[in-house]
Amino acid sequence: MEQGLSSIQVSSLQQQFGKNSISHHETFSAIKLFLKQFPTIINAILVLAGIFSLLINQPLDASFIFAIIVLDILLGFSQEYRAEKAIQKLKDLSQPQCLVIRDGNIIEILIENLVPGDVVILHEGERLPADGTIKSDSHLEIDESLLTGESLPVSKKQNDPAFRGTYVSKGKGKLFVTTIGNNTRIGQIAKTLISVKEEATPLQKQIVKLARIFTLGAIIISILIIPRGIYSKQSLFPLLLVVVSIAVAAIPESLPAVITIALSLGANKMAQKKAIVRKLTSIETIGAVNVILTDKTGTLTQNNMTVKEIYVPNEGLLHQLIHASIVGNTAHIVEKENQKKIIGDKTDGALLLWATSQKLTEKEQQESNQIIILDEFTFDPQNKVITTVASLHDKPYVIVRGAPETILSFSKITPKEKEKLIEIYQNFAIKGLRVIALAHKIEPKHTGLTRKELETNLTFLGFLALYDPPRPQAKQAVIDAQHAGIAVVMVTGDNPLTAKTIATEVGILDGEKTVLTGEEISKMSNSELQEAIKHVRVFARTTPEHKMMLVELFQSQNAIVGVTGDGINDALALKKADVGISMGRKGTDVAKEASDIVLSDDNFATLIAAVFEGRKIYTNIVNAITYLITGNLSELLVIFFASIFHMATPLLPTQILWINLVTDGLPALALANDKGGKYLLEKTPRKKEQPIITKNRFIFIVIAGIILAGIVVYAFSFIDDHFSLEKARTLAFGLVVILEMILAIIIRGKSLFSNVYFYLTIFITILLQLIITFVPFFQQIFHLSI
């Protein structure tokens, strides 16, 4: 085997050339983030309020307002910085890896650790990690559209140049690395595919729109109050004080920051549970998913395949079956901690482990070592076979392995023999075994023949039946999904009998559900398929085109569809889905880039956990929005009602600032990062068109806002009539804080001790309110009297 670089050479080259990473314009800058906090509507209003306080000879008020501006900027920066750091962690988690040959072994490393001189093993769907030359190829085609704009893939031969960022669209090969990092072609044009640029999510955009509506409402109310006040012969300064109070009360300044941090920290929690979010928009969507199209192998099963049973027509073919399992095998066995570990395709790995465990004679062992690969054809998704042309003793052999029905149709067997063999592999499949058939032929005239010509008149060698047990958590995850109103649909290229057995084991199928094959799908009309997807829960022997079609069919019925995928051919379905979920272990780079979420453990149970997190995050954000808007509305109505009834202003700008900064901010953050409960998976998914503020929530916000404002205004009026204005304002100020704490508890609506942090924020808020009410220094700032 090729030796590649030694560990000593790698260490020396890394010191010389550094990391294989590309410097690009940083998307996150702490200074830029800090400066971004200054030019906001609320800050502009506060500056005007501070200047106004100086003009009316209230320097203490002005000092407090300017202090609030600084504190608000620092808090906004702190929240957004935290959010950005969380997003950065997610990017670090999704760093790509590649296979290289070092010290005579094939190992997996981060692409940033590549050095010139490394030999990288390339497979379909993988991005090239550096610039270099093709060292060996097997019908290798590379998509270079990133660099050239040319949509058609380019055929690559020995010594042809290849470039970082392009990807293998067909075949396999080896890349000899010549250039890394900024010196690669893509590095020179300052582009990178590693970083993921996050944009504002639809939810964040709706929040900004909502904040603008509130601001506009405040301006309109202010415009109405000033002429009314002048007509009633009120002084200008008190009127301006009312206007400033309305503006400060109306604008939910902490809302965008609360949502941003909730989304980013939520994404971080999902990453801790092995679901890495590539696009924040998917957090909003995944909680609403009501159909999941899932793979079988490695997602519902453990992807830990072993050969459990074999069948050969006669014993004389056994050693040829062993050779056929080894030749063209893409997997590699590595000894690690006295255990054999498979690197590469798990199916090939199972065949390789079985073949190497068989006792071969010395002569047979020598023959295995003398086999030379002449040509290779990678997996054909239509026929589901892999074909290799090899030479032994100058005899060219064509070896084909893959789907039993395809291999039997390619083989020279009588109808009776075929019937018997079909019964044998179906019996294997009924047991839940994945059956791989193998066949070969001697073909002296292999040069110049097409793949189709090579795959005819084969000699059938036998069946290898692999067992890939369901994941222990899969059945419960399927049950949880079904209770949550999510239809789980298996879409697999495997045999329908194997698929049916596994689907029954994990609870996807029961006695009423049927299985459809790709062949049957192709024969059905659109209306028949529309009807079929209402009850069919397993689609077997499907192609990527079938998977894409199923996504579109479910979406045409207003379903919100999540799709799992791992191959280059899954990219279209992953992009088309409302949420594309790729596999972190067996997934190709192209599949990962087309997806919204990457499951680092390839586990279906992790996907359902991600659905729970998505629902929790969305519910928490809606609760935080409801709380903040209701609170701001009640404050706005307090000022408005008092003005309408010709009362003094119950709340001063400094008091409202305190309420918005502390009373609103702390509980809102606690609500936005609540723990959630199992009940979230017992609800049906929300509808696709459902707005953030539903009709029921809107009614709640309006009624609660009016009730809170009515209580405060009535209490203020009573104390003002019987005692003094300052005492009335003190009562109104404290009452708003207490009522908003009660409001937060009502909106949360869960058991008392399920979130200690939430109740801690309420305790701290009330404690701070008591301090500023009874400490003389703060009484002066807030104009309080007890």
Side-chain angles (χ1 to χ4, degrees):
M1 181 180 172
E2 193 170 353
Q3 290 301 301
L5 296 174
S6 68
S7 301
I8 296 171
Q9 287 174 311
V10 169
S11 179
S12 174
L13 288 164
Q14 282 178 339
Q15 288 180 4
Q16 183 181 349
F17 293 98
K19 293 283 186 184
N20 178 33
S21 56
I22 295 175
S23 302
H24 52 282
H25 294 294
E26 201 159 3
T27 55
F28 166 55
S29 163
I31 294 172
K32 286 180 182 177
L33 198 63
F34 180 73
L35 295 175
K36 176 187 158 191
Q37 308 301 316
F38 286 86
T40 64
I41 294 173
I42 187 65
N43 284 344
I45 291 170
L46 291 179
V47 168
L48 290 174
I51 294 170
F52 174 68
S53 298
L54 289 172
L55 290 174
I56 60 173
N57 200 26
Q58 295 286 345
L60 203 58
D61 278 9
S63 300
F64 178 74
I65 289 169
F66 288 128
I68 284 289
I69 293 172
V70 173
L71 189 58
D72 193 44
I73 285 168
L74 289 173
L75 283 174
F77 167 75
S78 171
Q79 288 179 342
E80 289 200 41
Y81 182 82
R82 225 173 134 198
E84 289 288 350
K85 293 298 282 184
I87 291 169
Q88 197 63 45
K89 274 187 186 177
L90 295 177
K91 292 178 182 178
D92 293 341
L93 282 172
S94 59
Q95 284 192 69
Q97 297 179 316
C98 63
L99 291 177
V100 298
I101 302 172
R102 287 183 181 172
D103 294 312
N105 296 314
I106 294 172
I107 61 171
E108 196 170 41
I109 65 167
L110 292 174
I111 70 164
E112 67 173 21
N113 294 329
L114 276 177
V115 294
D118 263 325
V119 176
V120 180
I121 297 171
L122 304 173
H123 293 105
E124 265 188 25
E126 293 179 349
R127 292 269 177 200
L128 272 66
D131 288 2
T133 56
I134 300 301
K135 193 174 175 71
S136 68
D137 72 281
S138 176
H139 300 279
L140 186 65
E141 293 183 9
I142 293 180
D143 186 322
E144 296 185 337
S145 56
L146 175 76
L147 296 173
T148 65
E150 178 59 53
S151 58
L152 294 175
V154 179
S155 178
K156 294 287 183 179
K157 301 294 181 186
Q158 185 91 5
N159 297 322
D160 281 353
F163 306 100
R164 176 175 179 155
T166 61
Y167 74 85
V168 180
S169 60
K170 187 177 180 183
K172 62 181 183 177
K174 292 177 184 174
L175 176 76
F176 180 78
V177 175
T178 57
T179 311
I180 64 170
N182 288 328
N183 294 321
T184 60
R185 183 176 289 191
I186 198 171
Q188 290 173 350
I189 56 176
K191 288 183 180 179
T192 180
L193 296 176
I194 299 172
S195 62
V196 181
K197 185 180 178 183
E198 299 292 349
E199 296 181 357
T201 72
L203 183 62
Q204 287 169 317
K205 290 174 183 175
Q206 286 186 61
I207 296 306
V208 171
K209 188 176 178 181
L210 210 57
R212 285 173 182 165
I213 291 170
F214 249 71
T215 304
L216 182 62
I219 292 169
I220 292 170
I221 291 172
S222 300
I223 291 170
L224 292 173
I225 284 176
I226 290 176
R228 178 185 173 85
I230 292 172
Y231 179 77
S232 303
K233 298 181 181 178
Q234 293 182 32
S235 300
L236 182 60
F237 280 153
L239 275 175
L240 289 175
L241 187 66
V242 171
V243 170
V244 170
S245 298
I246 286 173
V248 173
I251 300 170
E253 63 271 16
S254 59
L255 195 51
V258 166
I259 305 313
T260 299
I261 199 166
L263 283 172
S264 54
L265 291 180
N268 227 22
K269 286 176 187 174
M270 288 173 73
Q272 289 168 12
K273 295 184 178 181
K274 303 188 184 300
I276 300 167
V277 176
R278 295 188 70 252
K279 299 171 187 173
L280 283 181
T281 51
S282 62
I283 296 177
E284 302 165 32
T285 312
I286 195 166
V289 161
N290 52 21
V291 174
I292 294 175
L293 304 184
T294 177
D295 292 332
K296 176 182 74 68
T297 304
T299 307
L300 292 167
T301 64
Q302 296 178 24
N303 202 21
N304 185 20
M305 285 177 271
T306 55
V307 175
K308 194 168 184 180
E309 297 194 43
I310 67 167
Y311 170 80
V312 287
N314 61 73
E315 288 299 320
L317 292 174
L318 182 57
H319 78 278
Q320 292 174 316
L321 184 67
I322 295 168
H323 289 325
S325 301
I326 296 171
V327 174
N329 196 302
T330 61
H332 307 276
I333 299 173
V334 177
E335 292 281 348
K336 195 172 184 180
E337 297 174 357
N338 296 322
Q339 287 188 331
K340 290 183 177 180
K341 182 185 175 185
I342 293 294
I343 294 178
D345 183 80
K346 298 297 182 183
T347 304
D348 275 7
L351 300 187
L352 191 59
L353 274 175
W354 171 78
T356 54
S357 69
Q358 301 305 301
K359 292 180 180 179
L360 297 176
T361 64
E362 190 175 336
K363 181 183 177 183
E364 288 171 341
Q365 185 64 54
Q366 287 174 349
E367 284 182 346
S368 288
N369 296 334
Q370 291 169 3
I371 293 173
I372 300 168
I373 304 294
L374 301 175
D375 203 356
E376 292 178 281
F377 295 88
T378 53
F379 182 74
D380 177 356
Q382 299 296 326
N383 289 322
K384 304 193 182 303
V385 295
I386 296 169
T387 299
T388 307
V389 182
S391 175
L392 176 61
H393 303 315
D394 296 327
K395 287 183 181 179
Y397 282 86
V398 177
I399 299 167
V400 186
R401 68 180 186 276
E405 57 268 39
T406 304
I407 297 295
L408 294 182
S409 68
F410 289 170
S411 299
K412 297 181 293 182
I413 51 176
T414 65
K416 190 173 181 180
E417 288 173 329
K418 185 174 182 179
E419 188 179 333
K420 178 189 173 185
L421 291 170
I422 288 173
E423 184 182 348
I424 290 168
Y425 86 69
Q426 286 185 342
N427 285 334
F428 285 152
I430 288 169
K431 297 176 187 176
L433 303 179
R434 185 181 182 192
V435 185
I436 306 295
L438 297 96
H440 77 168
K441 71 174 178 180
I442 296 174
E443 183 55 78
K445 299 178 181 179
H446 68 93
T447 306
L449 293 181
T450 64
R451 180 171 187 170
K452 188 175 182 181
E453 290 168 332
L454 291 170
E455 295 171 343
T456 57
N457 296 317
L458 302 175
T459 298
F460 176 72
L461 293 175
F463 296 129
L464 294 176
L466 285 62
Y467 184 56
D468 183 14
R471 290 180 181 271
Q473 320 95 320
K475 187 168 186 176
Q476 186 58 50
V478 170
I479 291 170
D480 289 344
Q482 291 167 343
H483 285 169
I486 301 168
V488 180
V489 181
M490 180 193 287
V491 183
T492 177
D494 215 337
N495 182 284
L497 293 172
T498 306
K500 185 175 182 178
T501 301
I502 297 296
T504 304
E505 284 188 47
V506 299
I508 292 175
L509 275 187
D510 55 32
E512 300 173 3
K513 302 293 189 295
T514 57
V515 179
L516 272 183
T517 65
E519 187 179 353
E520 290 169 327
I521 291 171
S522 299
K523 294 175 182 176
M524 297 172 74
S525 66
N526 189 66
S527 59
E528 288 173 327
L529 283 168
Q530 290 279 5
E531 189 60 34
I533 63 171
K534 293 178 183 177
H535 60 271
V536 176
R537 289 295 172 262
V538 176
F539 295 89
R541 283 290 187 242
T542 56
T543 65
E545 290 74 21
H546 291 138
K547 196 170 190 176
M548 177 76 167
M549 183 195 303
L550 289 170
V551 174
E552 292 173 337
L553 283 167
F554 278 107
Q555 287 177 331
S556 70
Q557 296 186 357
N558 292 321
I560 301 177
V561 183
V563 171
T564 71
D566 54 34
I568 184 172
N569 291 314
D570 289 326
L572 287 175
L574 289 168
K575 280 187 177 180
K576 182 67 179 173
D578 297 283
V579 182
I581 304 114
S582 63
M583 303 297 112
R585 290 182 180 174
K586 64 173 181 169
T588 61
D589 294 340
V590 174
K592 290 174 188 174
E593 287 167 17
S595 65
D596 305 297
I597 293 173
V598 178
L599 303 183
S600 62
D601 62 354
D602 297 8
N603 193 341
F604 183 77
T606 300
L607 172 54
I608 301 306
V611 171
F612 170 76
E613 285 295 324
R615 288 190 181 188
K616 182 184 79 174
I617 293 164
Y618 188 87
T619 300
N620 289 347
I621 286 173
V622 171
N623 284 343
I625 291 168
T626 304
Y627 171 69
L628 286 170
I629 291 177
T630 306
N632 279 70
L633 178 64
S634 66
E635 294 160 29
L636 178 62
L637 291 176
V638 165
I639 309 298
F640 182 68
F641 288 162
S643 175
I644 292 296
F645 295 114
H646 302 288
M647 298 179 186
T649 306
L651 297 171
L652 297 174
T654 50
Q655 294 170 348
I656 297 170
L657 281 173
W658 174 262
I659 292 168
N660 286 357
L661 188 70
V662 179
T663 308
D664 287 355
L666 291 177
L669 272 175
L671 283 171
N673 293 282
D674 209 351
K675 289 183 179 180
K678 189 75 174 176
Y679 75 94
L680 289 172
L681 277 180
E682 293 166 0
K683 286 185 172 183
T684 55
R686 72 178 188 277
K687 293 180 180 178
K688 198 169 189 174
E689 65 280 0
Q690 182 176 307
I692 302 173
I693 304 299
T694 60
K695 182 181 177 182
N696 289 341
R697 281 200 177 261
F698 178 76
I699 292 170
F700 173 85
I701 288 168
V702 172
I703 292 174
I706 291 171
I707 290 172
L708 263 64
I711 292 170
V712 172
V713 170
Y714 177 80
F716 170 79
S717 174
F718 182 83
I719 300 299
D720 188 25
D721 288 344
H722 292 83
F723 295 95
S724 67
L725 178 59
E726 276 203 339
K727 287 185 184 297
R729 279 178 175 157
T730 302
L731 175 69
F733 184 30
L735 196 54
V736 168
V737 172
I738 297 298
L739 288 174
E740 290 199 5
M741 293 303 97
I742 294 169
L743 175 68
I745 294 170
I746 291 169
I747 288 172
R748 185 169 180 268
K750 295 171 191 158
S751 60
L752 189 62
F753 300 108
S754 60
N755 187 349
V756 176
Y757 173 67
F758 172 75
Y759 289 98
L760 183 62
T761 61
I762 289 178
F763 173 76
I764 291 170
T765 302
I766 293 172
L767 181 63
L768 290 172
Q769 186 66 26
L770 290 171
I771 290 170
I772 66 169
T773 303
F774 291 98
V775 174
F777 173 75
F778 292 113
Q779 287 177 348
Q780 274 189 294
I781 294 175
F782 291 100
H783 305 282
L784 302 176
S785 175
I786 54 172

